[in-house]
Amino acid sequence: MRGILASSIGVTCAAALALPLAPPAAASAGTPAPAADVATRTAETADARADVPGSTQSLPLRPLTHDRASGAVLGLTPRTVRTFSLLGVVWDDPSADLHGRVQVRTRAAGTGEWTDWQDVETHSTQHGADPDSPEAASGTVRGATAPLWVGESDGVEVRVLPEPDPGGHGEHGEQPGERGEPEDAGPADTGSGGGPSGGEGAGDADEVSALPAGMRLDLVDPGEAGPEESAEPAEGAEPAESAEIPRTGVMTAAAKAASAVNSALVPLGATEIPSLTAEETREELVSLRGPELTEQQQAKPYIGPRPAIVTRRGWGADESLREGSFVYTSTVKAAFVHHTASGNNYSCSQAPSLIRGFYRYHTRSLGWRDIGYNFLIDKCGRIYEGRAGGVAKPVKGAHTMGFNSKTTGIAVIGSYGSKKPSSKAVKAVARLTAWKLGLHGRNPKKKTSLTSGGGNLYAKGTKVKMKVISGHRDGFNTSCPGGKLYKKLSSVRSKAATYQGR
């Protein structure tokens, strides 16, 4: 994998003027948004760095003239914005739930065509740091929807439709015992041929006040694609494993620190950690954790061959966005599998851009210390390093609220409520868990005991027997990782155990 094109381009932080836009025939022009409504946050550029920075535009949502057909009371009328590729809705209180639906339409920058209305996954608060943890108590954390990848776009329209009775059902508006898949819900019947949901105005005060305060739309530009994002792997081909050559360009102190924690595996500045054979992996295990291994583990360690892993430098992480220190937990007893709920309309060559978008959304929009997941996997089965701290180390993530201690979080990029994950992605989950759990002597087919840090399924302090490879929904009342991916976890456990030699 070739390194990302180096750049030392400075980015000026400025407010952008959001102009009204004439949408398709059935729509009317929107009201121009004042310049003050758009806040843009860009990465600091005091240091020269190899990574090309992105940016975030923030547009406060406004009451809409009530549209009886769609029921939308808050949103934005169609408007032109600076180019972005990922979006999400953010609000002030991270503990506040959004009881309603968020729908968006975007305009493709290349063709000028508008999309149909798309639903954004609104129930995303179950991702994040454990309650009462330093990260959760930082004072910077905000509530938000899941991010949605829309591709390069320069126009947007948003509408928020409150639920009529948010207290009548479960966490996700479901009947007890059901697990809904809101990312696959069809759009509401607008009764107007897909036009806008009404002009900005007074709206319905009662319904608006029932929504979380401070709602805004964040539009994320993940930064320029590097050379390695231009080539799509051939059908049936394994992910490339030749990118351990260090990148050229200046490395900041933060970039050096993020790379140095993998120095036992690859040279400083490597863009990929190469795969190892089973024997090489066993030898590495002894070198990494020899004094901690029992005699039996040293004689016959059960660990899967290390898979190739794209490093943070490989996918272009701007290390100035995260907090400087690394946070660890004592061990890894289990792996939680997630989906990003960001949609499936991406190519594998775009995956580094998606990850840069998730990273910026998690840090700049949600106020987290770093990207929440420990690892990410694209539909072609390529594995990526997530939260900084070292892939072989027990880095504490922010992926399964209540169960971030002594676990690792793996996210498959996409939405898998009604769409099956690719066989390559499922295989990659098995390969990764066989290695990562093997570093800590865990059997993928067994159960382990975890203590809840607090959540909507298990109260803080509750000891829970959990499968060593679990889905997010096993620790929190959520549809994640989507029903289709969740059904694959049984085969993942079996394959991972086989990779470990069990």
Side-chain angles (χ1 to χ4, degrees), residues 331-338 374-375 399-400 403-411 429-430 432-438 440 442-444 446 448 450 466-475 481 486 489 492-493 496:
T331 187
V332 175
K333 299 177 71 175
F336 281 101
V337 178
H338 305 256
N374 297 101
F375 299 92
H399 49 83
T400 307
F403 292 100
N404 290 308
S405 292
K406 301 182 181 180
T407 67
T408 192
I410 300 167
V429 174
L432 176 57
T433 52
W435 172 71
K436 182 67 175 180
L437 294 170
H440 299 273
R442 311 300 175 190
N443 185 338
K446 298 292 186 180
T448 190
L450 298 173
M466 201 81 72
K467 291 178 180 178
V468 169
I469 299 178
S470 288
H472 186 181
R473 63 175 63 181
D474 295 317
Y486 188 77
L489 296 189
V492 165
R493 297 180 190 106

Side-chain angles (χ1 to χ4, degrees), residues 38 47 66 74 95 103-104 114 124 128 162 167 180 192 210 219 243 319 359 375 412 420 427 434 448 471 487:
V38 183
D47 297 326
H66 194 83
L74 200 68
S95 66
Q103 296 182 321
V104 298
W114 282 86
S124 194
S192 58
L219 305 174
E319 300 295 350
Y359 174 44
F375 299 92
V412 181
K420 291 182 179 179
K427 180 181 178 181
T448 190
K487 289 178 181 178

Side-chain angles (χ1 to χ4, degrees), residues 78-388:
R79 63 197 58 222
T80 293
V81 293
R82 289 195 313 282
T83 304
F84 69 98
S85 297
L86 180 142
L87 60 81
V89 171
V90 183
W91 54 89
D92 296 339
D93 184 358
S95 66
D97 289 324
L98 198 172
H99 294 291
R101 299 174 70 182
V102 174
Q103 296 182 321
V104 298
R105 298 167 65 238
T106 56
R107 188 181 68 177
T111 66
E113 295 294 323
W114 282 86
T115 67
D116 294 331
W117 286 106
Q118 301 181 75
D119 279 284
V120 180
E121 168 59 76
T122 58
H123 299 285
S124 194
T125 55
Q126 65 272 12
H127 297 86
D130 295 337
D132 302 325
S133 67
E135 183 170 3
S138 65
T140 64
V141 178
R142 290 173 283 275
T145 68
L148 178 67
W149 177 261
V150 295
E152 193 168 280
S153 305
D154 60 8
V156 68
E157 180 181 8
V158 187
R159 63 188 184 192
V160 181
L161 297 79
E163 287 180 357
D165 180 16
H169 299 301
E171 174 71 12
H172 291 182
E174 305 153 332
Q175 296 292 344
E178 293 181 343
R179 295 295 173 91
E181 305 297 343
E183 69 275 9
D184 300 307
D189 179 11
T190 65
S192 58
S197 42
E200 294 174 1
D204 188 307
D206 290 339
E207 290 181 304
V208 170
S209 65
L211 296 169
M215 293 183 71
R216 67 174 193 254
L217 176 70
D218 273 15
L219 305 174
V220 177
D221 170 13
E224 296 295 327
E228 80 279 10
E229 294 181 52
S230 61
E232 188 80 15
E235 184 67 28
E238 291 295 318
E241 298 182 0
S242 58
E244 61 175 316
I245 301 173
R247 290 173 57 187
T248 58
V250 177
M251 290 182 71
T252 64
K256 288 179 181 177
S259 182
V261 287
N262 289 317
S263 61
L265 311 180
V266 286
L268 186 72
T271 59
E272 186 170 66
I273 299 166
S275 62
L276 296 180
T277 65
E279 182 57 33
E280 289 170 336
T281 302
R282 287 191 288 268
E283 292 174 359
E284 182 182 72
L285 173 64
V286 173
S287 69
L288 289 174
R289 304 191 66 241
E292 306 168 45
L293 301 177
T294 64
E295 289 185 11
Q296 182 179 1
Q297 287 175 317
Q298 292 188 38
K300 187 174 177 56
Y302 291 103
I303 184 170
R306 187 183 77 193
I309 303 171
V310 179
T311 65
R312 290 171 64 90
R313 188 159 175 79
W315 54 259
D318 177 353
E319 300 295 350
S320 71
L321 297 181
R322 64 172 175 83
E323 290 191 18
S325 61
F326 308 125
V327 178
Y328 300 95
T329 184
S330 58
T331 187
V332 175
K333 299 177 71 175
F336 281 101
V337 178
H338 305 256
H339 68 169
T340 57
S342 51
N344 301 308
N345 190 26
Y346 74 95
S347 65
C348 295
S349 61
Q350 292 176 312
S353 288
L354 270 81
I355 298 171
R356 290 196 303 274
F358 300 152
Y359 174 44
R360 177 171 282 277
Y361 187 66
H362 285 180
T363 55
R364 284 296 186 256
S365 297
L366 277 65
W368 297 356
R369 61 177 294 113
D370 196 347
I371 191 170
Y373 308 114
N374 297 101
F375 299 92
L376 299 97
I377 296 173
D378 68 24
K379 63 176 73 172
C380 288
R382 190 179 290 119
I383 301 169
Y384 302 83
E385 177 183 16
R387 181 163 287 208

